[in-house]
């Protein structure tokens, strides 16, 4: 795995590259930074714009475009996250040239027609309606509303019926014009391809404009410790919780092992032991870290009986407090090390997994291969150092909860 550089207009485009003969495939991913839901002006605009891009090239139409890809087993898909807009391609090496031609057509002339917009709107409105029956979704959205009020994280990324109805074709065109910009682009490229074939990507970058570098706003996770309840007919209480986790870059390896012990390690993790094994309150309970460039938090979930919700919330609070106060034991640390280090071969076994790790490293501003250096740090981590780190991060005890429950 290495970083190559592609000159495009006046921009230098980083390319994460690996040659691999595992499969006779070519893989390409265009990642546009600061171009996701974070920058949308209307709820749902980013996802709707990605859907439009998946409708193919305007002159060919969605059906013919999709048919030409399908008969060659080519996967070409645009998607959007909170921070990034991506276009991902996977194809047999023999069809790579054709695939690039199709991508070039798509970028030059996307199917931004009224017909496509109405089709995508109808699909989205159907998903929004279905989401009203998804209790997990509703509780998760409720948590984001109290953790990040008055931000794009507080509104469902798919949008609302009202916001989707208000989106015009001009909004889609303006969004894609701003999002797809060379100044925010980096590329993942590899498979059964050689370094020299990076030049084939020049035609793609030539049809992408270079206007404005976008930046991410740093969002603060609420420390208010709010509790929000959604009353809805339900046989169970759905409980989502979260709090700030303000971790420096060089501390993240300690945060990963700390949270593994607290709530990510399945059976044996503190939350699972206390909530399921000892008290039988839930089938499963977890806590995980989310370290994005725009926001960072620890969050978790459990599902319990409606009448047990208060007890379950109390147990979560107690376990977080005990975790900060008492730290972890030597046995817990050694078990966590054993799992995290022992699972390394599985995390590196395919080209796509290696690319996912390298993409994350580059995006976070780390060196390629930093993942392995962090594992070495985990291997050498001392108990006192980990417990000192844990005690310094009592912000995770400032938990907010969103509970979807039946009226008791």
């Amino acid at each position: 795995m290495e970083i190559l550089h592609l000159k495009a207009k006046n921009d230098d485009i980083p390319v994460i590259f690996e040659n691999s003969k595992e499969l006779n495939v070519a893989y390409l991913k265009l990642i546009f930074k600061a171009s996701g839901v974070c920058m949308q002006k209307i709820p749902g605009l980013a996802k709707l714009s990605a859907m439009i891009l998946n409708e193919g090239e305007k002159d060919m139409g969605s059906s013919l475009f999709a048919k030409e890809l399908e008969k060659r087993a080519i996967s070409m898909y645009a998607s959007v996250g909170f921070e990034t807009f991506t276009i991902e391609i996977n194809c047999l090496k023999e069809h790579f040239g054709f695939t690039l031609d199709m991508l070039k057509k798509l970028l030059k002339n996307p199917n931004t027609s009224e017909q496509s917009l109405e089709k995508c709107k109808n699909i989205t409105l159907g998903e929004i309606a279905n989401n009203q029956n998804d209790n997990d979704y509703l509780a998760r959205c409720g948590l984001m509303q109290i953790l990040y009020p008055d931000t794009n994280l507080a509104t469902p990324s798919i949008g609302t019926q009202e916001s989707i109805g208000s989106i015009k074709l001009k909004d889609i065109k303006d969004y894609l014009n701003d999002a797809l910009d060379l100044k925010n682009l980096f590329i993942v490229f590899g498979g059964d391809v050689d370094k020299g074939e990076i030049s084939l990507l020049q035609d793609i970058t030539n049809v992408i404009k270079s206007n404005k570098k976008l930046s991410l706003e740093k969002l603060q996770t609420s420390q208010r410790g709010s509790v929000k309840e959604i009353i809805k007919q339900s046989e169970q209480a759905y409980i989502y919780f979260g709090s700030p986790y303000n971790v420096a870059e060089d501390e993240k390896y300690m945060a990963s092992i700390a949270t593994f012990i607290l709530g990510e390690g399945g059976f044996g993790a503190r939350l699972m032991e206390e909530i399921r094994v000892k008290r039988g309150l839930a089938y499963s309970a977890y806590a995980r870290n989310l370290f994005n460039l725009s926001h960072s938090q620890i969050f978790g979930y459990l599902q319990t009986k409606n009448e047990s919700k208060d007890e379950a919330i109390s147990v979560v609070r107690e376990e977080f407090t005990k975790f900060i106060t008492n730290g972890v034991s030597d046995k817990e640390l050694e078990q966590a090390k054993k799992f995290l280090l022992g699972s390394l071969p599985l995390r590196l076994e395919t080209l796509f997994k290696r690319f996912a790790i390298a993409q994350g490293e580059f995006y976070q501003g780390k060196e390629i291969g930093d993942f392995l250096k962090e594992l070495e740090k985990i291997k050498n981590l001392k108990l006192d150092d980990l417990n000192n780190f844990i005690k310094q991060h009592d912000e995770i005890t400032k938990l907010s909860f969103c509970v979807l429950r039946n009226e008791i």
Side-chain angles (χ1 to χ4, degrees), residues 101-154:
D101 287 341
M102 294 292 277
L103 176 59
K104 182 179 177 181
K105 288 180 180 179
L106 176 65
L107 292 171
K108 284 181 66 176
N109 192 29
N111 197 357
T112 49
S113 64
E114 291 291 349
Q115 183 180 5
S116 290
L117 179 58
E118 286 307 306
K119 174 185 173 181
C120 292
K121 276 189 174 185
N122 288 334
I123 293 172
T124 301
L125 290 171
E127 292 179 5
I128 291 172
N130 286 336
N131 286 340
Q132 300 312 301
N133 298 316
D134 185 338
N135 292 340
D136 273 308
Y137 172 85
L138 295 174
R140 188 166 59 248
C141 288
L143 177 65
M144 299 303 279
Q145 288 168 6
I146 56 179
L147 289 181
Y148 302 99
D150 303 317
T151 72
N152 281 358
L153 280 171

Side-chain angles (χ1 to χ4, degrees), residues 55-124:
E55 287 297 297
E57 193 261 351
K58 183 181 287 186
D59 293 337
M60 294 181 71
S62 60
S63 296
L64 179 57
F65 191 87
K67 184 178 179 181
E68 290 298 312
L69 297 181
E70 184 178 353
K71 69 184 182 181
R72 295 171 177 85
I74 298 168
S75 172
M76 184 182 297
Y77 187 71
S79 61
V80 64
F82 185 73
E83 297 179 355
T84 60
F85 191 106
T86 64
I87 303 172
E88 188 170 11
I89 287 171
N90 192 355
C91 66
L92 292 174
K93 173 62 189 302
E94 63 193 89
H95 297 311
F96 187 52
F98 176 84
T99 304
L100 290 180
D101 287 341
M102 294 292 277
L103 176 59
K104 182 179 177 181
K105 288 180 180 179
L106 176 65
L107 292 171
K108 284 181 66 176
N109 192 29
N111 197 357
T112 49
S113 64
E114 291 291 349
Q115 183 180 5
S116 290
L117 179 58
E118 286 307 306
K119 174 185 173 181
C120 292
K121 276 189 174 185
N122 288 334
I123 293 172
T124 301

Side-chain angles (χ1 to χ4, degrees), residues 255-256 258-266 269-271 285-289 339:
S256 67
T259 304
F260 183 87
I261 294 168
L262 175 61
E264 197 172 2
R270 295 278 187 89
L271 289 179
Y286 67 77
R288 294 172 184 162
N289 299 330
F339 179 87

